[in-house]
Amino acid sequence: MTSLICGSLAFDSIMQFGGRFSEALLADQLHKINVAFLVPEMRREFGGCAGNIGYNLKLLGGDPLIMATVGQDSAPYIERLDRLQISRRCVRLVDDAYTAQAFITTDADNNQITAFHPGAMTMSHQNKVADAGKVSIAIVAPDGRDGMLQHAQDCADLDIPFIFDPGQGLPMFNGPELERFIELATYVAVNDYEAELLTERTGLSLAQIAERVSALIVTRGEQGADIFTGGRHVEIPCVKADSVVDPTGCGDAFRAGLLYGLSHGMDWETTGRLASLMGAIKIAHQGGQNHAPTRADIEARFEQAFGYRFQPA
């Protein structure tokens, strides 16, 4: 049940701004922004979409296989993957680059402004999906532009079902390229903002996108998620979090739940609910990989939230 996770490994520098961006940004002055945010709190975390998804999938008892490129400063991340017993045989070292770096500022309303240096991630096309060996499912998550295009094509050529998860990488692609991703993908997963951008760039409605894939998943934050599959609309409720601390990595935790459910033959209702629960567990902790529930904890939380136990088929 190995899940191939094509995406980034990155270091996240996360800063907390106590005010609201909306109070510092003037709508009629956006053409000449020159603002500074005082961020008295700062921390450095292990992140990147592939790293976050793999971490959460491992918590569920899944078998993540990360395909990514890292740079000369990657030793701490490599050591972490080894400690977590997450395979790094598809992680490639690029000696003359830095590992991808995200600089994230979060405000009092959990809005985020991110500056991202891709570094070694731009060389992700050097990795070939065929080198991963036998996998049951894959996800093409935000990564280098050429790598995302290639890995989607590789998965389709090898008949590996995969989730297209453009995330914050979506603006890199034009309409025809996004249509091609949809054509190749088995599933598409986006948040509500990305869904609007995807429909705008492709000229396709959500209904038309859903007709072209086995399932279209749209997450909507505290409003839960919608899954459009086989002519059905499956509404996934939001699981109440213990507390709302940091949204960084919540979408990745959700996608780990999707991968686990799909690779274990669960129905869409259960798969979506497990994904929703993983996002709720994550948001109560700072950073993308600092929550550490046991599998038993996750099972108990699921039963408490939904009244039944999730079981692999």
Side-chain angles (χ1 to χ4, degrees):
M1 296 294 181
T2 300
S3 297
L4 179 66
I5 305 169
C6 303
S8 62
L9 292 176
F11 293 112
D12 293 339
S13 293
I14 303 172
M15 295 153 280
Q16 185 68 47
F17 171 54
R20 293 177 170 82
F21 296 142
S22 60
E23 297 170 352
L25 300 173
L26 302 177
D28 61 345
Q29 298 294 314
L30 294 181
H31 62 290
K32 54 176 183 179
I33 296 175
N34 185 4
V35 296
F37 302 107
L38 179 64
V39 288
E41 296 180 29
M42 176 178 171
R43 66 190 188 280
R44 199 176 194 220
E45 305 282 3
F46 295 101
C49 293
N52 293 342
I53 294 170
Y55 178 81
N56 283 278
L57 186 56
K58 191 70 175 182
L59 291 177
L60 281 164
D63 182 25
L65 175 59
I66 292 174
M67 178 168 282
T69 44
V70 296
Q72 56 190 268
D73 55 344
S74 62
Y77 216 139
I78 296 301
E79 293 169 2
R80 175 174 174 78
L81 294 177
D82 289 344
R83 289 196 305 271
L84 294 171
Q85 297 184 318
I86 295 176
S87 175
R88 56 179 176 86
R89 63 182 175 84
C90 290
V91 175
R92 179 185 295 267
L93 175 64
V94 181
D95 289 320
D96 59 350
Y98 289 107
T99 302
Q101 315 267 334
F103 301 90
I104 304 166
T105 303
T106 302
D107 76 357
D109 292 329
N110 285 324
N111 297 307
Q112 292 183 327
I113 295 176
T114 300
F116 188 74
H117 171 65
M121 194 183 78
T122 59
M123 305 303 292
S124 62
H125 58 279
Q126 293 182 359
N127 285 324
K128 311 299 181 185
V129 171
D131 295 337
K134 186 177 181 180
V135 297
S136 62
I137 193 170
I139 184 168
V140 176
D143 204 352
R145 171 186 159 81
D146 292 343
M148 291 180 71
L149 289 165
Q150 178 185 296
H151 296 153
Q153 187 65 59
D154 286 351
C155 287
D157 291 344
L158 294 167
D159 292 324
I160 299 172
F162 77 94
I163 300 171
F164 173 49
D165 169 30
Q168 294 178 337
L170 196 155
M172 295 190 296
F173 304 103
N174 60 31
E177 289 168 333
L178 291 168
E179 282 196 69
R180 180 59 176 165
F181 276 119
I182 294 168
E183 177 185 340
L184 296 173
T186 317
Y187 317 98
V188 172
V190 290
N191 65 26
D192 46 4
Y193 173 79
E194 294 156 2
E196 290 186 18
L197 186 56
L198 186 60
T199 58
E200 177 185 304
R201 292 210 170 178
T202 62
L204 300 172
S205 67
L206 289 182
Q208 290 172 319
I209 295 172
E211 289 173 355
R212 300 187 180 198
V213 292
S214 294
L216 167 64
I217 302 99
V218 181
T219 61
R220 302 188 183 280
E222 62 185 15
Q223 297 178 7
D226 295 311
I227 299 176
F228 304 95
T229 178
R232 294 193 302 134
H233 174 198
V234 181
E235 296 184 63
I236 303 300
C238 178
V239 177
K240 183 176 176 56
D242 291 340
S243 59
V244 177
V245 175
D246 180 8
T248 306
C250 286
D252 297 328
F254 187 100
R255 281 144 183 77
L258 292 179
L259 285 172
Y260 187 87
L262 288 168
S263 63
H264 287 81
M266 296 179 182
D267 60 48
W268 277 112
E269 287 79 2
T270 301
T271 296
R273 290 172 178 177
L274 179 59
S276 180
L277 172 63
M278 294 303 293
I281 292 173
K282 204 267 36 113
I283 204 171
H285 300 79
Q286 290 185 331
Q289 300 179 28
N290 290 322
H291 53 298
T294 65
R295 169 59 185 256
D297 293 334
I298 297 170
E299 290 178 352
R301 286 284 300 271
F302 186 95
E303 186 171 14
Q304 179 183 24
F306 301 113
Y308 69 99
R309 299 178 67 86
F310 70 88
Q311 295 291 337

